[in-house]
Amino acid sequence: MAKYLLLKHYRGAPAAVNDVPMDQWTSQEISAHVRYMRDFADRLEETGEFVDAQALAPEGTFVRYDGEGRPPVTDGPFAETKDLIAGWMVIDVDSRERALELAAELSAAPGAGGQPVHEWLELRPFLTEPPTIED
């Protein structure tokens, strides 16, 4: 099994087919989208392929260490950044092909007008430990 991270971006990815921003959807359209995501996760939980999923708020703050005894340095939010992540799902699957298949299915969650969004999802494998060489 290999773990993959499916990332949903607020912006920065190529435009979705149904490219109406979520803040312009009706409450029914948002509910249908969330229900699709939950049903998808439930199905993957039954097959043992689901690990975790979370949605994130659009605002955030960058933080860095600025030296011993000094307060953290903060800046932001950076709403214009192309890397702003809306949420993620972690899956644990047998192959990259299966990860691609699931990511494609997830991108078809309904959006405005009840039509599939066909959004671009970023698929990233988790790093694994390199094989140990035995003497």
Side-chain angles (χ1 to χ4, degrees):
M1 300 290 275
K3 289 186 180 151
Y4 286 85
L5 180 65
L6 291 90
L7 291 171
K8 293 175 66 81
H9 293 269
Y10 280 114
R11 56 183 129 321
V17 173
N18 184 357
D19 195 25
V20 178
M22 189 179 262
D23 62 0
Q24 297 175 22
W25 296 2
T26 67
S27 60
Q28 292 84 5
E29 291 165 344
I30 292 170
S31 293
H33 184 82
V34 171
R35 186 170 43 258
Y36 181 97
M37 303 286 285
R38 285 187 182 141
D39 290 348
F40 183 83
D42 289 346
R43 206 176 42 165
L44 294 186
E45 200 161 22
E46 290 174 9
T47 65
E49 297 172 308
F50 178 80
V51 177
D52 186 36
Q54 299 293 324
L56 299 173
E59 62 276 344
T61 303
F62 282 87
V63 179
R64 79 160 201 242
Y65 177 73
D66 200 33
E68 188 65 37
R70 299 177 75 175
V73 176
T74 62
D75 201 358
F78 295 97
E80 73 279 1
T81 183
K82 69 177 188 162
D83 297 320
L84 191 60
I85 297 172
W88 73 83
M89 180 176 285
V90 177
I91 56 175
D92 195 358
V93 294
D94 288 328
S95 66
R96 182 173 188 274
E97 290 72 27
R98 178 65 175 155
L100 290 168
E101 176 186 319
L102 293 175
E105 185 178 340
L106 187 59
S107 83
Q115 297 301 307
V117 175
H118 294 290
E119 66 184 324
W120 289 90
L121 298 175
E122 184 178 355
L123 179 66
R124 307 238 345 233
F126 280 40
L127 284 176
T128 58
E129 291 290 323
T132 304
I133 299 173
E134 296 184 24
D135 297 298

